[in-house]
Amino acid sequence: MNLLENLKNNVLVADGAMGTVLYSHGIDFCYEELNVEKPEIIEKIHLDYIAAGADIIQTNTYSANALKLARYGMENRVKEFNEAAIQIAKRAAAQGNQYVLGTIGGLRGIRKSDASLADVLAIVREQADTLLAGDPDGLLLETYYDFEELSTVVKELRRMTDRPIVAQVSMDEPGVLQNGLLLNDALHQLEAIGADVVGVNCRLGPYHTIQAFEKVTLPKRAFLSAAPNASLLDVEDGRIVYVSEADYFGRAAALLREEGVRLIGGCCGTTPKHIAAAKKHLSGLAPITKKVVTPEKPIVIREADPAKYEPLHEKAKTTRTVIVELDTPRHLETEQYFIGANQLYDAGVDAVTMADNSLASPRISNMAMGSIMKMQHNVRPLVHLTCRDHNLIGLQSHLMGLDALGIHDILAVTGDPTKVGDFPGATSVYDVSSMELLQLIKQLNEGISFTGKPLRKKAKFSVAAAFNPNVRVLDRAVQRLEKKIECGADYFITQPVYTKEKIVDIYEATKHLETPIFIGIMPLTNIRNAEFLHHEVPGIKLSEDVLERMRACGDDREKATREGVAIAKELIDTAAELFNGIYIITPFLRYDMSLELIQHIKELDAEKERNVVHA
């Protein structure tokens, strides 16, 4: 009897975790390599699960793909590891007539950049070809957080084979996927595109897995599956542990059956003891064929509160818009900083921007300073947010805090690596890229958290992205801009530009885009400042003419300031003709220089208006 025929009338028990058992034995290297180097270890684990009562075992191939094996320099051994794995599993299953599923693990976490869909398909085809050649009873897709990836893989495998496909999603929150899709909807969609068994595995323990299935209706054709973790994970003495009694897991298996689940196994933290308990509690129980699901009361997501300011990207589409960067202090004396911020805002700038620990050097939190500026000084802040300093938890918490404070102007940037800053031994986080951060911020604007959970109210962020035009091939940089627009960028802020020719090049390369661009202008203070920027700061290059002009000022501070401002004014003259957005970067809290440039922009615009009137 094939697997699907058996599931029509029976609840079947699958095996538990392979990695957990290996980890408990002190093995912490590539598990898939053991298929070749120590096959007896893998076979012993299969046999232990069979002895515990498992009707189904899966191959030790969760990470046996080119992308994950590349971590160990073994990306060329995909076929070898998968061939060995299915031979081991079938040899073990032959002794008890168990079913064997060829396992293919998910590639993406929250980062879509981990693998493009084209890469996913190529990787899956390579692994699936080998597994299918080994004649499994079906294929198991497990630990897929990204529904787009799983859907794509199911469609491809359905094209490749008519063998049973088990497709399992992983949830961060009970009953909802990362993209906000309800579990019930996701499972029925997987059924519609060809999956024969649909369900969940990993991340959540029995309690939350049961909770998630309470809102899942029975599929019309497919069967439901579940492989929860033993419990929520804990860490003891640096080791990951799962604290769960086997009998508790067994009782949970019986409750899952009451929710319509017919294929029940275990994921992280489960062992043969857990599977034996599940088998015991499921013994003699037939699958349910009818289930009443009480419709869940939809959570109303309120619209965002009305914006206090016109979004910068909207204003920049039609009229002159000026933002000025004034980085927060590296010390705790803030009086002069707020004097400068007030003077800049009083001079008519649209927002004062603050970097997020630029050049990986600690400064006073821009969130704190932005809040003080807004609440106590009525100055509009635009805060930068790096992927370097915050993990996903911190990023969402930070953004929710900004929304609560009414600060909705954000620049999403990757952030300079820590090795360039004051603490080169500090850790760079980079859970996501700046493009993924853009997508996540726009997800908050829909009232959906990073994990897919409703936030009950929409955020209202206007999000800028960084643009470095100081590159050899500008077209490639523009292609990157286009990708950022697809990810949700509302406008762009450039690195400082120091030649008129470059500004014209930027215009010609981007004039097909409707997304506003703010041209970065940073006045130079002296030749040492100029040479530092030119030679040491990534993404900034000065022309030889500019370097010579600053060099000619020698050590005369006043002359160097005048020359730096003069160069900046010349650049503004060109930028103001081609772009509505101007981004002035204040050097070393020298807001007097920025004030002079703001006045120059006002005079340019006034002159332009007079010329229009006279014309």
Side-chain angles (χ1 to χ4, degrees), residues 7 102 151 217 226 248 272 290 319 327 344 364 368 395 427 579 610:
L7 284 169
S151 301
T217 58
Y248 170 79
K290 293 182 180 180
T319 189
D327 285 343
L344 290 168
I364 297 179
L395 284 171
T427 303
F579 297 91
R610 284 195 295 270

Side-chain angles (χ1 to χ4, degrees), residues 310-323 347-351 380 503 516-519 521 571-584 597-609:
E310 180 182 12
L312 292 171
H313 65 277
E314 294 294 344
K315 182 177 181 181
K317 289 178 181 179
T318 58
T319 189
R320 174 75 59 227
T321 310
V322 181
I323 58 178
V349 303
D350 293 279
R380 181 179 183 176
I503 295 173
I517 296 174
F518 285 72
I519 298 297
I521 306 292
L571 295 169
I572 287 172
D573 290 345
T574 301
E577 286 294 321
L578 302 173
F579 297 91
N580 283 333
I582 304 294
Y583 167 47
I584 298 173
L597 297 179
I598 294 166
Q599 183 60 35
H600 181 69
I601 294 170
K602 285 184 175 181
E603 292 171 357
L604 284 177
D605 289 342
E607 179 64 25
K608 183 177 180 179
E609 188 174 340

Side-chain angles (χ1 to χ4, degrees), residues 290-555:
K290 293 182 180 180
K291 179 183 179 183
V292 177
V293 174
T294 304
E296 190 169 9
K297 185 178 180 181
I299 297 176
V300 177
I301 300 178
R302 293 197 296 111
E303 291 298 319
D305 297 330
K308 181 178 179 180
Y309 311 102
E310 180 182 12
L312 292 171
H313 65 277
E314 294 294 344
K315 182 177 181 181
K317 289 178 181 179
T318 58
T319 189
R320 174 75 59 227
T321 310
V322 181
I323 58 178
V324 178
E325 181 170 318
L326 190 68
D327 285 343
T328 61
R330 295 187 182 185
H331 48 73
L332 296 177
E333 291 181 354
T334 60
E335 182 179 355
Q336 195 63 36
Y337 179 86
F338 288 117
I339 290 173
N342 277 292
Q343 289 192 22
L344 290 168
Y345 204 62
D346 290 344
V349 303
D350 293 279
V352 175
T353 90
M354 294 163 285
D356 190 7
N357 299 323
S358 58
L359 294 179
S361 296
R363 296 173 177 272
I364 297 179
S365 161
N366 60 6
M367 181 179 181
M369 296 294 275
S371 176
I372 295 172
M373 282 202 308
K374 178 178 180 294
M375 303 297 185
Q376 298 183 19
H377 301 273
N378 200 32
V379 174
R380 181 179 183 176
L382 189 163
V383 300
H384 303 192
L385 181 59
T386 72
C387 303
R388 177 198 61 228
D389 294 342
H390 314 272
N391 65 11
L392 281 168
I393 300 169
L395 284 171
Q396 178 168 317
S397 175
H398 200 79
L399 286 161
M400 291 170 72
L402 289 169
D403 181 76
L405 290 167
I407 298 174
H408 296 118
D409 296 303
I410 306 289
L411 170 63
V413 292
T414 300
D416 304 303
T418 56
K419 63 182 179 181
V420 307
D422 292 351
F423 297 98
T427 303
S428 295
V429 181
Y430 299 131
D431 275 358
V432 291
S433 68
S434 59
M435 290 192 192
E436 289 154 339
L437 179 55
L438 287 168
Q439 293 174 316
L440 292 172
I441 294 173
K442 285 310 177 84
Q443 191 167 309
L444 296 185
N445 280 0
E446 295 300 318
I448 304 297
S449 77
F450 292 1
T451 62
K453 185 177 182 180
L455 291 174
R456 304 194 179 189
K457 192 187 85 168
K458 295 180 180 180
K460 202 176 185 68
F461 292 113
S462 172
V463 194
F467 173 29
N468 177 19
N470 301 310
V471 292
R472 293 181 181 177
V473 184
L474 188 56
D475 287 346
R476 291 181 186 172
V478 174
Q479 289 174 5
R480 186 168 173 81
L481 287 196
E482 293 169 342
K483 290 181 180 179
K484 289 184 177 182
I485 292 172
E486 292 176 5
C487 292
D490 294 310
Y491 60 106
F492 293 101
I493 298 175
T494 79
Q495 291 273 29
V497 181
Y498 283 99
T499 69
K500 298 177 183 178
E501 293 77 14
K502 176 61 72 174
I503 295 173
V504 174
D505 289 345
I506 296 169
Y507 173 76
E508 292 297 331
T510 63
K511 62 184 179 182
H512 64 289
L513 302 177
E514 296 182 1
T515 307
I517 296 174
F518 285 72
I519 298 297
I521 306 292
M522 181 164 70
L524 301 166
T525 57
N526 53 49
I527 184 57
R528 284 182 295 176
N529 168 232
E531 290 192 330
F532 169 72
L533 293 172
H534 179 70
H535 293 291
E536 298 193 39
V537 178
I540 298 180
K541 290 296 177 186
L542 279 61
S543 69
E544 190 57 39
D545 174 65
V546 167
L547 288 170
E548 281 298 320
R549 288 173 65 176
M550 294 306 298
R551 195 172 288 121
C553 297
D555 295 328

